Structures are given as C-alpha cells and as structure tokens.
Amino acid sequence: MFFSRMLIPTLKENPAEAEAVSHILLFRAGMIRKLASGIYNYLPMGLRVLRKVERIVREEMNRAGAQEVLLPAVQPAELWQETGRWQIYGKELLRFKDRHGRDCCFGPTHEEVITDLVRKEVHSYRQLPLNLYQIQMKFRDEMRPRFGLIRGREFLMKDGYSFHVNEADAEACYQDMYAAYNRIFQRCGLRFKTVEADSGPIGGSFSHEFMVLAETGEDLLASCLACDYAANLEKAEVVPPATASGDAPAGSGPEEVATPDVRTVEEVAGFLNATPAEIIKTLIYETEKGPVAVLLRGDHEVNEVKVKNLLAVMDLTLAGAGRVQELTGGEVGFAGPFGLNLPIYADQAAAAMTTAVTGANKTGYHLVRVNPSRDIVMTQVADLRAITAQDPCPRCGGNIEILRGIEVGHIFKLGLKYSKALKATFLDEAGQEQFIYMGCYGIGVSRIVAAAIEQGHDGQGIVWPLALAPVQVGLVPISLNDQATKDAVFSLHDGLEKAGIEVLLDDRDERPGVKFKDCDLLGIPLRVVIGPKTLAAGQAEVRHRRSGETVMVPLGELLQYLQGCIRHELNEKG
Ligand code: ATP
Ligand code: MG
C-alpha cells in the first residue's frame, strides 16, 4: 500500500465536538468522518480495522458451530406487532412507511426476523439445535448518540440466535458462546472483564456482559478482589446488613421537628447534627402501575434497575415537584413514609435502621427517632441500592472494587419469549408440538474499534493491539530523492507484501517528521525507517509503537524479524 494513493486524511487539530479520545483519534487519523449525528463514513484505514474485528468474530463463531446468515435491515411492522414490541420499543426504533403506506422499521435487533425464519423452516427436533448469526448494520435512534463509534445510531453488530429442543441444550450452547466470546476478546488483544448482567424481572444468572476496561466507560462494574465474582452495578447484589431489623427500638417514638428550608440529605444532616447514614430518604416514583415510594439510607444510591425488576415495571421516573406535593402533602425534600397512600418499598439497609430521620410530608418539618420496623408500614423490604466499594462481595465476603467498562458483548438466555409470541414450534420425538428454546448473543463490532482505542492510546495517537491494527508495518524512507533509499524501500515494500505482511509505504513528498507523526497517530505497531545512513550500515531501524523501543536490524534479517514480532504478538493472544 502506498500512502500517497490512499485516502488517509490525517489532521493535526482535534474535532470540535468530540469528547472521547477514541472519537478524536479516529477522526484525526482519517479513519472515520461524520455524516450526521451518530452516523459515520468508514474510510479505508478505519474499514480495515473494522474488518479485522469482523474476521475474528466470524472465525470464532464458525469454530463454535454457528452458521452465518444475512437478514434484511428493513423489517415489516407486522412481525413487531406480533411480539408486541412495535408498541413498547419506543423512539429508538426508526419507523417509516414504504410507498404503499406499509409500516416498516430499520432493524435495531433481529429476534423477530430470525424467529420468523426459523418458524417457517424448522418443524422437527431433527433440525435442532441451530445457531445462526449475522454481522450487519443496525439502526437505533439513540437519545444521545455520543463518543463517536461507542454509541452511534447506525453501527455494526454481530447478532446471533440459537434454537433448541430444551432448556438444557440452550444452556450448553450458552456456555459455548461464553467460551467463544472470551476467545474473541482475547484475540482482539483487549483487557476485558466478563460480568453478570441484569436479565430483567425474570431473573436468573443467564446473562453476561463483556466489558472492555476503560476509565471512560459508561458502565460501572463491581469486581471482587478476592474471588472471580464480577457483575454490572445494575445487577450486583448487596449483602443485607448485619443488624437484624427490629432490634432495640430507640426510646420514644417519632417526634416532629421544624427543619425550615433544609431539603437535601446533606442539609438535613447538617441542620440536625446527624450523618447521612442516619437519615432515610423517601423517593417518589411514577410507574405505569401507579406511584410508589422507595426508602433508602441517606448515604446510599438507589438502583433503579433493581426497583424496576421488583415492581415488574418498564417505566420508572422520579415524580416532579407538583406530583410530590400532591402525593405527600409536602414539598420536595420533606417526603416521608408516614400517612402515604402509596406502596412503600424499603431498601434492606434503610429497613434495618433503629433510629432514623425522615421527612414529615409537611413543608419545613422532619421526624426524628423513627424506627422503621416499629413505625413504618412497609409493603416490602428488598435489595434496592447500588453496591459500593464499602460493601462485601456477595459471594465470598472479600473486598469489592468498582471499575468502569465499555460493553462490547452481551449473551442472554431468551427462553420461550419469542418462540411463544411468534409460535415457533417443533415436533418432538413423541410427535408432540413444543416451543423452541432460544438464546441470543450480541457483539458491538464497531464499538470494539473505539473501545480498543479508549484502552490503547498515548499523547501521539492510537496504540492498536496488533490483531486490530489497520496495517502491521509502516515503512518510512528518510528521503525519496536518494535513489538508493528509494530502490530499497520499494523493493522492501514488495517483499513484505509478498510475504503476507501488511505494509504502508509512506511515499508522500513530506518531511520524515511528518511521516513519523502520522505513523504514530495511525497507531501502526511496527515502524521501519530506511535512509542513506542505515543503508550504508546495511540496516533498518525498527521502532515498536507500544514500547517505543528501537532496534537496528540487518536488512537481510528484516523480514524474519518482522514476521517474528507479528507471530509473537498474535500467538500471545491465542
Ligand atoms: P447499551 O446498554 O450500551 O445501550 P444494549 O444493551 O442496548 O447496549 P444490545 O442490545 O445487547 O446492547 O446489543 C449488543 C451489543 O451491541 C452491545 O453489547 C454493544 O456492544 C453494541 N451496541 C449497542 N448499542 C450500540 C450503539 N448505539 N452503538 C454501538 N454499539 C452498540
Ligand atoms: Mg441500548
């Protein structure tokens, strides 16, 4: 490949609106260009990286026995109406009408389409199991597309779906996919963690996410320092407090005190000379089943996913100031659990307090010396808060650390959800009609490109894992005006290509400094520099992008040396 003939529009300046380092560097390295919000062009170097991710994903899926298909991006509304998701998917689903006025959508995911295919083609247990996947552009009209390829609206996904005669077979496939995913992210050269994920109100431990570890990640994970427990913060269980609820009621009952103009936990704590851990905050939520109150200790954060799962609701939003007043009789900041005509759900830590401060449902007043088990009528006590680094590991009691990650993969046990909705059945050995068990398995192919950069970059640019780099070797001549140098680099270029090494010869009419900078910006793992001086010594200078280490290699051994470096790095990742 010759730089002068390629479309690699590198830039010195950062794009104005980019926040994430991967977005900035993909842009500056001339790998992507924005067309519209969350919609990007992939330029040749960016596409090469994307294709490398795709190739690893494809190889490992095939190796695990999955078969590749390609399903349509445009889908008829009828299928989505059959599963009920046409109504509930919301605005992320891009809907439109064709020329005949028929409702359509651009696929954000393909459960409907694949289950429709399978219900038409599969009739007997003899045709199962089946594991089908595709690598295809999805469209989700994300509310906040951001961080470039990390949260786009149009993005490349590998989505796979498996079909089984029973639950045990579906679980075996889940384990195979779990192993395949671990291999995929290892081969991509990523530092990642596999975490238990929330699987909705149905529960079960059969959902895992694969998280690339990066400070800039949108997801929080809890990871045990002692055992291998790791979970998305949405899912991580909190161990109940040691103090049994109902212990030692602290003296006389609740007493009302005036707390003029103090509303937040901190203000109330300051005013009453208490700590946030001695306060109960009362959150009023609206749900599609009506409003509810949630009680938490003042120093704890609510975990809305846990609340949603407990209540089995889809919508959970904090009530606005007007509604709070209407439902509690007091202004925001003074809500409490007494005299409420609402179901009250208490986090286990709040319920276990023996003397607490709560709002009085009256503007300007709080109650002190509240003993929840004695004084509050609680509909249910449950684990409703987010785990913190102060909590013990729910498995082994060890210390927990909270990490940030970027979700690049998700495997999920679907059970009979879609086969029931779409009536996808088979005849078992006894000739009985049964619903097909399903699993689904997603990978954010384009998101991986960005995640690799979030994890691998320095002040000069991208530092790719070798397996994902757009090219393996950057070849930089010190001067093309020197005929001997020119001959040497062109013949080296051809020799490397013939040997199957991906090489980009920087044949532009630019100063060596400019070429070095672009080589670093593009993140090319191995840089080979040849000039009159190195030639005279019969050598080339090889620089390793990641370590910055420079070695002089005799020209006769260069090919072997580079092959060795490449093999070493690829093998190390499995
Ligand atoms: P998120 O919580 O990040 O929105 P999701 O749970 O909606 O992800 P899935 O429906 O499981 O994601 O999709 C499978 C994979 O596709 C995800 O693990 C993620 O890597 C990727 N992905 C999802 N949404 C986007 C997006 N807007 N842009 C790029 N990749 C995405
Ligand atoms: Mg999403």
Side-chain angles (χ1 to χ4, degrees):
M1 260 173 288
F2 301 102
F3 205 131
S4 66
R5 293 185 216 158
M6 304 269 313
L7 180 63
I8 311 177
T10 58
L11 295 167
K12 289 196 192 69
E13 303 306 320
N14 289 347
E17 82 291 13
E19 310 161 78
V21 66
S22 61
H23 189 186
I24 293 170
L25 291 176
L26 282 165
F27 184 79
R28 283 192 48 209
M31 297 197 182
I32 61 167
R33 286 293 182 262
K34 179 166 140 180
L35 178 65
S37 169
I39 302 179
Y40 294 90
N41 295 305
Y42 288 85
L43 279 58
M45 287 291 128
L47 183 63
R48 289 181 67 89
V49 180
L50 193 71
R51 293 282 185 247
K52 289 201 170 178
V53 179
E54 255 186 63
R55 184 172 165 186
I56 292 172
V57 171
R58 188 172 276 122
E59 282 175 7
E60 293 301 331
M61 290 302 291
N62 292 346
R63 190 207 297 239
Q67 303 172 54
E68 187 168 3
V69 293
L70 185 57
L71 307 172
V74 173
Q75 309 181 3
E78 286 77 12
L79 278 179
W80 288 74
Q81 283 154 352
E82 263 191 84
T83 59
R85 290 211 289 183
W86 187 255
Q87 280 72 36
I88 62 177
Y89 209 96
K91 290 190 171 171
E92 256 185 46
L93 185 65
L94 179 66
R95 303 157 204 246
F96 49 90
K97 285 188 195 298
D98 69 10
R99 63 160 71 194
H100 305 292
R102 293 189 193 108
D103 283 316
C104 301
C105 65
F106 196 104
T109 177
H110 279 68
E111 283 84 1
E112 278 79 1
V113 172
I114 195 101
T115 311
D116 174 61
L117 177 70
V118 167
R119 73 176 165 181
K120 287 172 178 157
E121 305 305 326
V122 171
H123 306 290
S124 159
Y125 70 94
R126 286 192 209 87
Q127 294 168 280
L128 295 171
L130 260 187
N131 189 349
L132 303 172
Y133 77 97
Q134 62 170 343
I135 297 176
Q136 189 223 32
M137 279 294 178
K138 298 282 187 267
F139 193 95
R140 293 183 182 178
D141 207 349
E142 298 272 354
M143 182 146 65
R144 281 189 64 206
R146 58 187 183 278
F147 310 137
L149 300 187
I150 290 183
R151 188 169 297 282
R153 294 200 294 161
E154 187 176 297
F155 60 96
L156 195 63
M157 193 201 284
K158 187 285 293 181
D159 49 327
Y161 309 87
S162 68
F163 301 85
H164 309 272
V165 292
N166 57 34
E167 196 166 0
D169 194 58
E171 279 175 23
C173 181
Y174 185 95
Q175 297 308 335
D176 290 346
M177 287 294 106
Y178 183 96
Y181 272 42
N182 276 291
R183 288 187 55 82
I184 288 169
F185 299 120
Q186 233 156 23
R187 278 187 62 190
C188 286
L190 299 166
R191 272 184 298 116
F192 68 99
K193 216 170 203 18
T194 307
V195 304
E196 290 179 16
D198 173 58
S199 42
I202 309 142
S205 60
F206 281 95
S207 174
H208 285 89
E209 287 164 346
F210 296 79
M211 297 282 187
V212 166
L213 299 174
E215 297 279 313
T216 49
E218 286 183 283
D219 281 282
L220 289 167
L221 357 160
S223 172
C224 180
L225 292 164
C227 73
D228 59 8
Y229 177 78
N232 191 314
L233 215 70
E234 290 178 343
K235 158 89 179 176
E237 307 137 53
V238 175
V239 176
T243 1
S245 73
D247 275 5
S252 58
E255 186 191 332
E256 193 174 282
V257 295
T259 51
D261 272 340
V262 295
R263 292 159 195 272
T264 67
V265 167
E266 284 66 32
E267 287 166 1
V268 175
F271 186 85
L272 294 173
N273 206 9
T275 64
E278 293 169 293
I279 290 170
I280 288 179
K281 55 184 173 190
T282 304
L283 306 175
I284 308 293
Y285 279 104
E286 302 275 18
T287 78
E288 73 264 26
K289 294 182 178 171
V292 300
V294 173
L295 309 185
L296 285 159
R297 223 169 69 181
D299 58 333
H300 288 156
E301 292 300 324
V302 66
N303 180 328
E304 294 188 347
V305 173
K306 290 180 180 175
V307 178
K308 276 188 188 172
N309 288 345
L310 179 72
L311 303 182
V313 296
M314 302 270 301
D315 295 324
L316 185 80
T317 41
L318 278 172
R323 275 293 273 167
V324 170
Q325 176 106 40
E326 199 180 309
L327 291 164
T328 70
E331 289 176 13
V332 171
F334 301 98
F338 295 99
L340 280 185
N341 195 16
L342 301 176
I344 295 177
Y345 297 93
D347 176 64
Q348 48 195 8
M353 292 165 77
T354 50
T355 176
V357 177
T358 72
N361 291 331
K362 190 161 120 188
T363 304
Y365 292 90
H366 279 79
L367 297 169
V368 298
R369 293 201 305 281
V370 174
N371 180 296
S373 62
R374 181 192 62 195
D375 304 327
I376 305 174
V377 183
M378 293 177 278
T379 311
Q380 199 173 340
V381 177
D383 171 14
L384 297 178
R385 70 179 173 92
I387 197 170
T388 69
Q390 283 72 53
D391 287 302
C393 167
R395 293 285 177 279
C396 77
N399 287 331
I400 287 288
E401 65 174 334
I402 308 291
L403 302 170
R404 285 194 165 273
I406 302 167
E407 181 196 321
V408 289
H410 190 184
I411 58 178
F412 202 87
K413 216 178 101 181
L414 286 175
L416 302 178
K417 183 174 171 186
Y418 292 93
S419 51
K420 277 191 169 162
L422 293 165
K423 299 187 186 58
T425 61
F426 67 98
L427 294 180
D428 68 12
E429 278 179 83
Q432 294 291 311
E433 193 173 12
Q434 308 271 5
F435 286 112
I436 303 177
Y437 274 86
M438 288 175 61
C440 81
Y441 319 97
I443 290 184
V445 176
S446 49
R447 185 181 278 184
I448 288 176
V449 173
I453 300 175
E454 292 295 326
Q455 203 170 65
H457 63 269
D458 61 17
Q460 275 59 57
I462 303 171
V463 183
W464 292 112
L466 191 99
L468 303 190
V471 294
Q472 297 161 334
V473 173
L475 184 51
V476 182
I478 292 295
S479 161
L480 283 171
N481 296 327
D482 177 55
Q483 192 59 42
T485 304
K486 190 173 176 181
D487 292 345
V489 291
F490 276 87
S491 100
L492 184 59
H493 169 271
D494 294 352
L496 293 182
E497 275 202 342
K498 218 170 269 161
I501 292 179
E502 301 161 357
V503 55
L504 180 66
L505 168 56
D506 197 340
D507 58 340
R508 293 175 300 169
D509 185 19
E510 291 283 0
R511 285 176 295 110
V514 171
K515 299 184 180 185
F516 293 160
K517 276 210 170 77
D518 278 350
C519 206
D520 281 352
L521 178 60
L522 282 158
I524 301 174
L526 297 159
R527 186 185 78 191
V528 176
V529 181
I530 291 183
K533 271 194 208 144
T534 66
L535 268 188
Q539 291 182 321
E541 181 201 276
V542 180
R543 182 161 164 279
H544 294 256
R545 175 71 180 90
R546 188 176 294 273
S547 65
E549 185 198 354
T550 303
V551 233
M552 298 305 294
V553 180
L555 284 172
E557 294 165 23
L558 188 58
L559 174 62
Q560 224 179 351
Y561 178 83
L562 296 172
Q563 279 174 326
C565 295
I566 292 167
R567 211 176 308 126
H568 175 76
E569 205 172 312
L570 293 182
N571 286 347
E572 214 170 64
K573 309 294 178 208

